[in-house]
Amino acid sequence: MSAVEISLWVVILLVVIAILFDFMNGFHDAANSIATVVSTGVLKPQQAVLFAAFFNFIAIFVFHLSVAATIGKGIVQADVIDHHVVFGALIGAIVWNVITWYYGIPSSSSHALIGGIVGATIAKAGVGALVSAGIWKTVLFIFVSPLLGYLLGSLMMVIVAWLFRRTTPGAVDKWFRRLQLASAGAYSLGHGGNDAQKTIGIIWMLLIASGHVAATASAPPLWVIVICYSAIALGTMFGGWRIVKTMGQKITKLKPVGGFCAESGGAFTLFFATHLGIPVSTTHTITGAIIGVGSTQRASAVRWGVAGNIVWAWILTIPAAACVAAISYWVSLHLFV
């Protein structure tokens, strides 16, 4: 077998693994899109996953590929990337996703992937191969996205409470059961737009490194874009029921009005970050928004112990995925010559 054939075979295998990660991303993060709309009883779980998957996919027509460009060209130096780094990054992210899914912890698939890229790159070329601007921008939004979600969710809850202060609870519930469909759709749109692009970015990175796409190309091939959006939508359709329970019930009890405010605040945050080309965690964002909504009722409405465990998962995600990725990189050196 020739070197070209080996290279092509390895590229195909890594593309398949990347698509598997994208599917798992949708599966793992399905709860972010549907937890509130399910926990408030507006949609049944089966309806909610189809609804969210549809909006995940049509995000392909809404957002530019700015997040994909950040992942593909803005996290590590392009000349360091090879198939060993990509393999390590994907395995690191997948392993951490499986662990957190199994224990029902809503961690970030996005940061698992970034941690994977960072860990595999450091294993190969050291810290100097990282692009500090892209890393710090991403790290900053680990804190900004949940805080912005918190602020917007709580602010919307206060505004809605004031606007509907003379309306009966039954009427408020009726109105927001309908409005929550719009907010859930907007959040799923933002989820698809930001998260699918992360896998697009890593496949783009791989294709450039393997010489199948020119480094000067302004966008990845169309087939990459379509497959990645399709994979995350399919993953969402299969859902992540363990995490739905944590997001929709364990942090705070939500009513349709609260679900609307949390989803709307989270959707705005995702739209804003995607516009800036920043890969953020949809998990962080919606968790912050849910906590913001719950805290407007009373501090005791939020189960801070559960929220604290989630924060610890956030802190551990990048270093944990990076460690697994570094080990996977060394394994890859023996698997792929």
Side-chain angles (χ1 to χ4, degrees):
M1 184 178 289
S2 70
V4 174
E5 289 174 323
I6 293 174
S7 177
L8 181 59
W9 176 82
V10 170
V11 169
I12 291 172
L13 176 62
L14 291 176
V15 167
V16 170
I17 295 174
I19 293 169
L20 174 63
F21 168 78
D22 199 25
F23 175 86
M24 289 183 64
N25 191 342
F27 184 91
H28 186 277
D29 290 0
N32 302 342
S33 299
I34 68 173
T36 51
V37 78
V38 170
S39 66
T40 56
V42 172
L43 289 177
K44 295 178 180 178
Q46 295 83 356
Q47 296 171 326
V49 292
L50 291 173
F51 183 83
F54 171 75
F55 282 98
N56 277 176
F57 182 77
I58 65 169
I60 193 173
F61 305 109
V62 177
F63 298 102
H64 295 294
L65 296 174
S66 51
V67 173
T70 298
I71 293 291
K73 300 180 178 181
I75 300 295
V76 298
Q77 295 175 6
D79 58 349
V80 174
I81 299 300
D82 60 14
H83 53 288
H84 300 299
V85 170
V86 173
F87 177 83
L90 289 170
I91 297 303
I94 289 172
V95 168
W96 184 247
N97 269 359
V98 170
I99 292 171
T100 52
W101 168 81
Y102 181 80
Y103 288 103
I105 302 169
S107 67
S108 168
S109 298
S110 308
H111 293 139
L113 180 60
I114 291 166
I117 295 171
V118 168
T121 299
I122 292 175
K124 178 183 179 181
V127 177
L130 303 178
V131 177
S132 58
I135 297 293
W136 284 115
K137 181 168 64 174
T138 302
V139 170
L140 176 64
F141 265 75
I142 291 177
F143 304 99
V144 170
S145 63
L147 284 175
L148 188 55
Y150 177 93
L151 291 172
L152 291 174
S154 57
L155 179 62
M156 288 195 66
M157 194 67 183
V158 170
I159 292 172
V160 166
W162 185 82
L163 290 175
F164 289 86
R165 65 190 185 281
R166 293 190 177 90
T167 308
T168 63
V172 170
D173 188 76
K174 181 179 178 181
W175 271 103
F176 281 94
R177 280 182 175 274
R178 297 170 182 171
L179 289 172
Q180 201 183 355
L181 292 176
S183 62
Y187 190 84
S188 296
L189 192 70
H191 172 224
N194 201 281
D195 276 18
Q197 289 193 39
K198 292 153 191 170
T199 307
I200 292 172
I202 199 165
I203 294 177
W204 190 5
M205 177 192 299
L206 171 66
L207 294 178
I208 291 173
S210 62
H212 290 86
V213 170
T216 56
S218 60
L222 180 60
W223 64 266
V224 175
I225 300 170
V226 173
I227 286 178
C228 288
Y229 274 101
S230 300
I232 199 167
L234 286 171
T236 296
M237 284 178 63
F238 282 86
W241 306 118
R242 291 173 182 264
I243 302 174
V244 167
K245 186 176 181 181
T246 299
M247 297 294 289
Q249 299 174 15
K250 288 187 178 180
I251 296 176
T252 187
K253 295 292 184 180
L254 290 176
K255 295 181 179 179
V257 61
F260 170 82
C261 292
E263 289 159 351
S264 298
F268 179 87
T269 303
L270 291 180
F271 283 27
F272 175 66
T274 303
H275 174 72
L276 295 178
I278 301 173
V280 298
S281 167
T282 54
T283 309
H284 293 194
T285 303
I286 195 62
T287 302
I290 290 172
I291 292 174
V293 167
S295 65
T296 61
Q297 302 170 40
R298 60 186 187 282
S300 60
V302 177
R303 293 182 174 88
W304 295 103
V306 174
N309 291 337
I310 292 171
V311 171
W312 274 112
W314 294 354
I315 293 170
L316 290 172
T317 291
I318 289 180
C323 289
V324 177
I327 295 170
S328 300
Y329 169 80
W330 292 112
V331 171
S332 176
L333 293 177
H334 299 284
L335 289 178
F336 307 116
V337 180

